[in-house]
Amino acid sequence: MSGEAFNRKSIFGAWMGWAKRAAAIMVLATVCIPWSSGVQAAAVQKDIRVVIFADLGSKYKATVPSVTLKSSGGLSVGQNSGGSFQTWMGLPDSTARFSVDSYRVKVLEGNEAAAIKAAQALQKTNDKPTVFIGSKNGSSVYQVYAGIYSSEQSAQSAVQRISSATGGQAEVKGNKHWSTGSYGSEQEANLVRTTIAAAGFDAFTVIQSRGQYAVWVGEESNDSKLSALKTELESKQPRLTLSKVNATQTGLIIRQEAGVTTGSQVMSHYMLSGSDHSKVIVNGGNDGIQVMERSQRTYRGEMEIGMTSGQLALVNEVPLEQYLYSVVGAEVYSSWPDEALKAQAVAARSYALAQGNRFQIGNVVDGTLSQAYNGKSSEHANVNEAVDATAGEVIKSGGKVVEAVFSSNAGGVTADASEVWNSGGEAFASVDSSGDTSAQKGAQEWYHVLLSSGKTGYIREDNAKELEGVTEAGLDKITVTAENTNVRPIPQIQSTVTPIAKAQPGEEIIVLEKVPQSGDYAWVRGPFTSAQLAKSMQGKVTGTVPSSINHLDVTKRGPSGRVLEVEANGSPLKVKYPDMFRSAMGGLPSTLFDIASTGSYTVLGADGATSHVSGTQGTQILSASGSSTSSGNGVIVMNEDRHARVIDKTQSFIFTGKGNGHGLGLSQWGANGLAEQGYDYKKILQHYYKNVDIVKD
């Protein structure tokens, strides 16, 4: 609700209770996706497939034109056959680039200076450039490409904007080629390729399997252009025997890539050709593989290069237990008690195994849409020991592995399934999570203050000292201890958010209330204007979003107190499932929240009727000397706990709440709190998941 009832006999009345306990250091909150019927793993799998880059439509989309893979121990490329890796070739360098043979835009072909100029112009756009270097007509040539694009049409639509950005005449290129035949070595293929390139044609050496090479000519986007190329080839190279490359032919087109700046290192670039079923494996040995485009993270296991929807797909196939080393280390603090780490390990293992092939080409993705997975960078000895100590253990209910979703902090009570995705199972129910308060240990409290200018904000307690006496309304007063002390819009230091004011020593400042620092357990967000909220609701709320929001009220809550329904201007806002209120309301940490408006409050009349009073209306005051109306701007209202807020003439909305994440299943901070109290990991898990067994599967 936007405000509790007020009695007309006083301007002081009840209003929304602000969060009353401190919060602490933030930990990454996992936001697992809603349940999908029939998703169960039949048995523990040896390896898990983690999608890093792919275009999977609405399920997952993270794309890059190419990836740079690196390993200190060297890279090798091949395919898995009969359960083992079969090497095609060892790469000459420890670093290589990979992409797929799809639609691109060829920006220009020329000398190094022209290529660098065009590439640098495109670096500022969404049509990211790639610069290849090769030989043609007997001399070196630089070729700049943009993309990749999923279709010829989308590539064609990019041509005009690319030409405009670079001042050249761009053209669409594709994955249609002529082959001159097969060769038993790369050297033999290179001799043929060099001869064709010397005649002015684009020709490429291709590896098709171990010890089998080919030379492909051209990179056309449609059959008409491919046919025209054949006519020209036959006129200039009549001895060539040409055959059309099958669109499903798996191969690696070998090219050399230059950087977009003068003197950049040239590296090998391999373009995977074929269909969505075409794949090659990159192996980095025991040193792992570093993916430069994924924050330079190094991953255990192998990298699979494939193609989906005409885009590059990168999948990390890694042993399940080694995957968990990274996940558990990314999801919780390695310094937490062993039993909390073990509980997280079993929950994460169960969640992963319950996914099946949810993501078509993989079981999970590498972000919090599944579970946080940062490769070797998040591993820690304490975490690895906890994973090893619970190896193979999963949570089961009714003989099936439980999709053991979890979140960072439940705010003192976990969610019921009806409050999150409208689905779940017998393993999920709202339970006490008092251990969540462990997140606020050592956190500072903040004063919510009213400045003499009429502005309100927050000052951290260690930057202020309390003054003697109180205001006529009984409110405390403080002053700051240093010049130009920041007054923050919420009780948290935000380096990217400008303070609302600067306070000076000696200035008397009215304290409206004292609140915990915003963190995982308790938080404040806002104030959000009507326009900001309306923009945030677009695409998340079904139906028409109000053009102007005057009142915003919570009208229905679930078993744990989480929000099930919100009304804007008296009309319900419809969402697909309740947890979407988090993103619809500007990205709130949880749905365990209250709403307060800065420009209005709710009055309860003698007849029991309620009404909204805005800051522009003023407030009627009844006293022993009669009645009067105060100006609405700057009116202070106070609840029974002596927490006050200011009503002004501008309408915006402040959200106060508890918890971080959807709140369903295991609370990570709650598990930490229980472990500190002496609970072992099985008891922790059986507290958060009901009617379950912890078994080694």
Side-chain angles (χ1 to χ4, degrees), residues 353-409:
L353 289 172
Q355 300 311 296
N357 292 318
R358 187 189 292 273
F359 293 96
Q360 299 166 233
I361 60 173
N363 312 111
V364 294
V365 298
D366 72 336
T368 55
L369 187 61
S370 293
Q371 303 181 111
Y373 175 58
N374 300 331
K376 295 176 73 173
S377 63
S378 59
E379 293 183 12
H380 189 278
N382 292 350
V383 171
N384 294 5
E385 289 175 7
V387 172
D388 291 342
T390 63
E393 291 188 22
V394 294
I395 306 167
K396 280 193 168 184
S397 176
K400 295 181 179 180
V401 178
V402 173
E403 188 178 15
V405 295
F406 49 85
S407 64
S408 176
N409 192 302

Side-chain angles (χ1 to χ4, degrees), residues 71 121 153 178 317 324 349 391 393 408 425 449 509 584 596 669 690:
S71 176
Q153 182 179 5
W178 293 109
E317 188 162 348
L324 293 174
R349 184 182 295 110
E393 291 188 22
S408 176
V449 299
I509 302 170
W669 275 106
K690 312 311 292 182

Side-chain angles (χ1 to χ4, degrees), residues 307-330:
M307 186 188 311
T308 57
S309 303
Q311 298 283 341
L312 171 71
L314 183 68
V315 177
N316 179 208
E317 188 162 348
V318 59
L320 174 63
E321 299 301 314
Q322 293 180 12
Y323 162 76
L324 293 174
Y325 291 163
S326 174
V327 167
V328 177

Side-chain angles (χ1 to χ4, degrees), residues 407-473:
S407 64
S408 176
N409 192 302
V413 57
T414 67
D416 184 81
S418 65
E419 299 173 302
V420 183
W421 298 308
N422 295 320
S423 59
E426 294 182 358
F428 298 93
S430 179
V431 300
D432 172 78
S433 188
S434 55
D436 289 324
T437 57
S438 63
Q440 65 182 356
K441 285 183 179 178
Q444 300 277 358
E445 289 199 316
W446 292 63
Y447 293 105
H448 185 201
V449 299
L450 171 63
L451 305 177
S452 58
S453 64
K455 294 181 177 180
T456 62
Y458 295 86
I459 296 173
R460 201 170 64 187
E461 62 178 346
D462 60 337
N463 293 323
K465 65 178 181 180
E466 295 186 3
L467 299 175
E468 293 185 1
V470 295
T471 68
E472 293 181 359

Side-chain angles (χ1 to χ4, degrees), residues 528-691:
F528 299 122
T529 65
S530 169
Q532 288 173 323
L533 286 176
K535 182 179 180 181
S536 179
M537 291 177 191
Q538 294 292 340
K540 298 155 192 167
V541 172
T542 59
T544 303
V545 174
S547 58
S548 178
I549 302 172
N550 300 315
H551 310 296
L552 199 61
D553 303 281
V554 175
T555 51
K556 187 177 181 181
R557 297 182 183 272
S560 74
R562 284 170 169 78
V563 172
L564 295 181
E565 184 180 83
V566 176
E567 288 187 356
N569 303 337
S571 298
L573 298 171
K574 301 294 185 182
V575 292
K576 188 176 180 180
Y577 46 83
D579 196 58
M580 281 194 72
F581 278 120
R582 283 200 286 158
S583 57
M585 298 297 167
L588 302 180
S590 79
T591 57
L592 193 60
F593 63 76
D594 295 323
I595 307 172
S597 62
T598 62
S600 66
Y601 54 90
T602 303
V603 174
L604 175 64
D607 57 358
T610 60
S611 61
H612 288 287
V613 178
S614 73
T616 60
Q617 294 176 249
T619 301
Q620 184 181 10
I621 302 173
L622 297 178
S623 66
S625 60
S627 64
S628 62
T629 301
S630 71
S631 168
N633 194 39
V635 171
I636 300 175
V637 294
M638 183 188 298
N639 69 3
E640 65 274 14
D641 294 325
R642 302 188 64 77
H643 293 165
R645 67 182 175 105
V646 176
I647 304 299
D648 58 34
K649 293 182 179 180
T650 61
Q651 181 68 305
S652 57
F653 301 91
I654 297 173
F655 294 79
T656 62
K658 292 181 180 177
N660 188 3
H662 51 67
L664 195 62
L666 176 78
S667 169
Q668 293 167 326
W669 275 106
N672 174 63
L674 290 178
E676 289 178 343
Q677 296 173 36
Y679 287 80
D680 69 26
Y681 73 99
K682 290 186 177 181
K683 289 189 180 298
I684 292 171
L685 292 170
Q686 288 172 329
H687 172 75
Y688 283 107
Y689 305 102
K690 312 311 292 182
N691 306 310

Side-chain angles (χ1 to χ4, degrees), residues 52-381:
I52 298 177
F53 294 117
D55 182 357
L56 302 177
S58 60
K59 285 189 174 182
Y60 180 75
K61 187 171 184 178
T63 59
V64 289
S66 55
V67 292
T68 312
L69 304 184
K70 183 177 181 179
S71 176
S72 57
L75 298 168
S76 56
V77 178
Q79 288 185 325
N80 284 330
S81 178
S84 62
F85 177 68
Q86 301 294 321
T87 303
W88 282 9
M89 62 178 176
L91 302 187
D93 303 309
S94 60
T95 304
R97 296 266 281 169
F98 293 85
S99 64
V100 294
D101 187 21
S102 188
Y103 296 97
R104 300 172 187 261
V105 173
K106 190 173 185 179
V107 181
L108 66 77
E109 182 174 286
N111 59 35
E112 182 181 16
I116 290 173
K117 182 179 179 181
Q120 289 177 338
L122 289 175
Q123 280 284 76
K124 305 170 186 177
T125 72
N126 292 326
D127 300 293
K128 298 304 181 186
T130 302
V131 181
F132 292 119
I133 183 172
S135 63
K136 205 169 181 181
N137 294 315
S139 60
S140 294
V141 64
Y142 287 80
Q143 298 173 324
V144 182
Y145 293 78
I148 47 182
Y149 305 94
S150 59
S151 67
E152 183 179 10
Q153 182 179 5
S154 60
Q156 188 61 53
S157 67
V159 166
Q160 184 174 352
R161 64 174 181 264
I162 290 171
S163 296
S164 176
T166 61
Q169 288 297 316
E171 60 177 328
V172 177
K173 292 296 182 180
N175 56 0
K176 295 183 180 294
H177 317 276
W178 293 109
S179 173
T180 66
S182 296
Y183 307 92
S185 69
E186 185 175 357
Q187 292 77 8
E188 186 181 359
N190 282 341
L191 287 173
V192 176
R193 174 185 58 80
T194 302
T195 300
I196 298 171
F201 296 96
D202 290 310
F204 316 102
T205 298
V206 181
I207 179 171
Q208 296 179 316
S209 64
R210 184 169 185 171
Q212 183 179 358
Y213 294 82
V215 173
W216 292 356
V217 186
E219 46 180 352
E220 306 306 326
S221 59
N222 56 55
D223 288 333
S224 176
K225 292 181 179 180
L226 189 66
S227 178
L229 173 63
K230 183 179 183 183
T231 301
E232 187 179 2
L233 274 167
E234 290 176 337
S235 69
K236 294 184 178 181
Q237 297 278 303
R239 295 183 180 181
L240 290 178
T241 300
L242 301 173
S243 60
K244 187 177 179 180
V245 176
N246 191 311
T248 63
Q249 173 66 56
T250 300
L252 280 177
I253 301 171
I254 305 172
R255 303 189 74 165
Q256 294 296 310
E257 182 181 343
V260 297
T261 59
T262 302
S264 295
Q265 181 182 2
V266 176
M267 70 176 69
S268 299
H269 187 122
Y270 301 89
M271 296 171 58
L272 175 69
S273 68
S275 66
D276 283 3
H277 300 290
S278 299
K279 297 174 178 63
V280 294
I281 304 298
V282 182
N283 193 303
N286 295 329
D287 296 309
I289 298 175
Q290 188 175 22
V291 182
M292 305 304 288
E293 289 74 19
R294 209 51 152 182
S295 302
Q296 302 184 30
R297 295 170 181 162
T298 298
Y299 298 87
R300 295 175 181 264
E302 301 171 332
M303 290 295 169
E304 178 186 277
I305 307 291
M307 186 188 311
T308 57
S309 303
Q311 298 283 341
L312 171 71
L314 183 68
V315 177
N316 179 208
E317 188 162 348
V318 59
L320 174 63
E321 299 301 314
Q322 293 180 12
Y323 162 76
L324 293 174
Y325 291 163
S326 174
V327 167
V328 177
E331 288 286 356
V332 296
Y333 291 110
S334 60
S335 59
W336 280 5
D338 291 344
E339 298 306 305
L341 299 180
K342 291 177 185 177
Q344 180 65 57
V346 176
R349 184 182 295 110
S350 302
Y351 177 83
L353 289 172
Q355 300 311 296
N357 292 318
R358 187 189 292 273
F359 293 96
Q360 299 166 233
I361 60 173
N363 312 111
V364 294
V365 298
D366 72 336
T368 55
L369 187 61
S370 293
Q371 303 181 111
Y373 175 58
N374 300 331
K376 295 176 73 173
S377 63
S378 59
E379 293 183 12
H380 189 278

Side-chain angles (χ1 to χ4, degrees), residues 472-554:
E472 293 181 359
L475 297 174
D476 293 328
K477 297 179 292 183
I478 61 168
T479 190
V480 296
T481 55
E483 292 185 1
N484 297 318
T485 296
N486 290 322
V487 182
R488 303 281 182 179
I490 67 171
Q492 183 184 61
I493 295 175
Q494 299 169 292
S495 59
T496 59
V497 178
T498 303
I500 64 168
K502 301 279 188 179
Q504 305 300 334
E507 177 184 354
E508 287 195 358
I509 302 170
I510 297 174
V511 177
L512 299 172
E513 61 176 333
K514 200 172 184 180
V515 301
Q517 179 169 293
S518 281
D520 271 359
Y521 180 70
W523 49 266
V524 177
R525 293 292 185 273
F528 299 122
T529 65
S530 169
Q532 288 173 323
L533 286 176
K535 182 179 180 181
S536 179
M537 291 177 191
Q538 294 292 340
K540 298 155 192 167
V541 172
T542 59
T544 303
V545 174
S547 58
S548 178
I549 302 172
N550 300 315
H551 310 296
L552 199 61
D553 303 281
V554 175

